[in-house]
């Protein structure tokens, strides 16, 4: 997280930008504040400036616009960051979603090591609920990796759904790799990272056609459900509803993260929120 640099835009669409949240393969993410619609309430948003070359395909732009402007607003889940809008035909295309004051799973594991089993189970339940809501709205996440899972003092959130720009081989061994089963595969890979601190496949979330997942360090009780997620035949992977029952035995997912995340991760999340307050100003933060 950093203040705006001299080359960063100051405004994208209706959002005044206050700082840089991070950089990704599809573009830079800014902390913005504005109203998604004229006359609407101003709110904080994560505004992603997309690389124009990723949107050259007209069908891709149409799909992304439909999912973010039509299906996205109908999506109501405490486990998914709400879509606020997009502009894909401008010189600097952008998407905006609800700002979530949390730390990414990737950063949390890198700083503190793997999560304990009870926390992985709660996180798994939350992400299963997120996928259930997305798929019910006919939206495929397309990029469910540790960097796109935010841990907060409230419920975990899946962010940046429907993008997956520049990723031609989603879902690992899947032939087409673009359906709900690919999301389940990526869910399994993400949870392996959460439980063990390493990816299940050498150097990547995606395997080669014959590579078996490395579950070293994963608690034994989690392995059957994770192997089911990572099945090489997409049709053999379980539905997220089944997986929620298999992972989250005590239905902990709906409880605030403050009740089940390790203290070190909670401190990271609180530090992130504090840094965001510094960028936008305490008077405007959360309004």
């Amino acid at each position: 997280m950093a203040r705006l640099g001299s080359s960063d835009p100051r405004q994208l669409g209706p959002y005044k930008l206050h700082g840089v949240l991070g950089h990704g393969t599809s573009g830079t993410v800014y902390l913005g504040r504005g109203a998604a619609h004229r006359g609407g309430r101003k709110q904080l948003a994560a505004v992603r400036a997309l690389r124009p070359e990723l949107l050259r395909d007209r069908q891709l732009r149409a799909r992304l616009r439909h999912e973010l402007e039509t299906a996205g607003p109908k999506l109501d889940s405490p486990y998914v960051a709400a879509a606020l809008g997009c502009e894909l035909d401008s010189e600097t295309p952008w998407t905006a979603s609800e700002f979530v004051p949390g730390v990414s799973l990737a950063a949390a594991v890198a700083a503190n090591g793997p999560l304990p089993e009870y926390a992985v189970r709660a996180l798994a339940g939350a992400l299963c609920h997120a996928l259930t809501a997305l798929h019910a709205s006919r939206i495929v996440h397309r990029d469910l990796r540790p960097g796109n899972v935010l841990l907060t003092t409230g419920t975990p959130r899946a962010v940046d759904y429907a993008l997956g720009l520049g990723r031609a081989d989603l879902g690992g061994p899947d032939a087409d790799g673009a359906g709900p089963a690919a999301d389940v595969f990526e869910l399994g890979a993400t949870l392996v990272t959460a439980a063990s601190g390493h990816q299940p496949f050498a150097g990547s979330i995606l395997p080669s056609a014959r590579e078996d997942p490395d579950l070293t360090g994963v608690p034994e009780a989690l392995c059957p459900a994770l192997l089911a997620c990572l099945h090489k035949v997409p049709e053999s992977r379980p539905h997220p509803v089944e997986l929620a029952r298999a992972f989250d035995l005590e239905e902990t997912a709906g409880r605030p993260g403050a009740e089940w995340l390790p203290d070190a991760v909670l401190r990271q999340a609180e530090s992130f929120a504090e840094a965001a307050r510094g960028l936008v100003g305490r008077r405007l933060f959360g309004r």
Side-chain angles (χ1 to χ4, degrees):
M1 190 180 296
R3 298 194 177 279
L4 296 174
S6 59
S7 61
D8 290 312
R10 266 46 187 176
Q11 182 107 8
L12 284 174
Y15 296 99
K16 179 182 178 181
L17 305 182
H18 293 270
V20 179
L21 294 177
H23 303 277
T25 55
S26 59
T28 300
V29 185
Y30 297 96
L31 177 61
R33 186 173 183 272
H37 306 287
R38 182 172 296 179
R41 181 180 65 86
K42 288 186 177 181
Q43 65 185 109
L44 294 178
V47 186
R48 182 181 294 275
L50 298 171
R51 290 163 47 201
E53 64 268 23
L54 297 177
L55 294 171
R56 288 174 180 161
D57 185 280
R58 183 177 298 178
Q59 289 184 328
L60 185 151
R61 290 201 308 274
R63 187 270 297 168
L64 185 56
R65 183 179 291 108
H66 170 76
E67 294 185 356
L68 294 180
E69 292 186 343
T70 305
K74 298 177 183 177
L75 181 67
D76 183 17
S77 171
Y79 307 102
V80 180
L84 300 179
C86 64
E87 172 51 65
L88 305 180
D89 298 314
S90 62
E91 183 177 344
T92 304
W94 57 269
T95 67
S97 62
E98 170 191 10
F99 170 68
V100 179
V103 62
S104 74
L105 174 63
V109 171
N112 306 293
L115 298 179
E117 181 180 339
Y118 66 85
V120 175
R121 287 187 177 278
L123 175 62
L127 295 180
C128 288
H129 294 318
L131 290 184
T132 298
L134 285 166
H135 297 168
S137 297
R138 298 189 177 184
I139 297 173
V140 179
H141 190 290
R142 290 182 167 83
D143 197 12
L144 188 65
R145 53 187 170 84
N148 284 337
V149 174
L150 297 184
L151 306 176
T152 76
T153 56
T155 56
R157 304 288 188 92
V159 301
D160 284 355
Y161 67 81
L163 293 178
L165 302 176
R167 302 192 68 192
D169 186 27
L170 291 168
D174 300 13
D176 54 14
D183 280 350
V184 173
F185 185 93
E186 290 194 329
L187 167 70
T190 292
L191 293 175
V192 170
T193 301
S196 69
H198 64 79
Q199 296 175 340
F201 303 103
S204 173
I205 197 172
L206 305 179
S208 64
R210 296 183 180 179
E211 188 178 4
D212 291 325
D214 177 6
L215 301 189
T216 303
V218 175
E220 186 176 350
L222 295 175
C223 290
L226 289 174
L227 288 172
C229 292
L230 298 171
H231 200 289
K232 292 180 181 178
V233 178
E235 294 78 14
S236 296
R237 297 172 197 153
H239 189 280
V241 171
E242 300 172 50
L243 287 168
R245 290 194 292 264
F247 281 120
D248 192 13
L249 302 177
E250 298 182 8
E251 298 184 354
T252 310
R255 300 177 189 172
E259 294 184 13
W260 51 265
L261 282 170
D263 289 343
V265 176
L266 292 173
R267 286 195 294 270
Q268 266 190 292
E270 290 164 356
S271 175
F272 183 89
E274 184 64 25
R277 288 188 190 95
L279 290 178
V280 77
R282 293 178 179 275
R283 183 176 62 84
L284 299 178
F285 192 85
R287 289 179 53 188

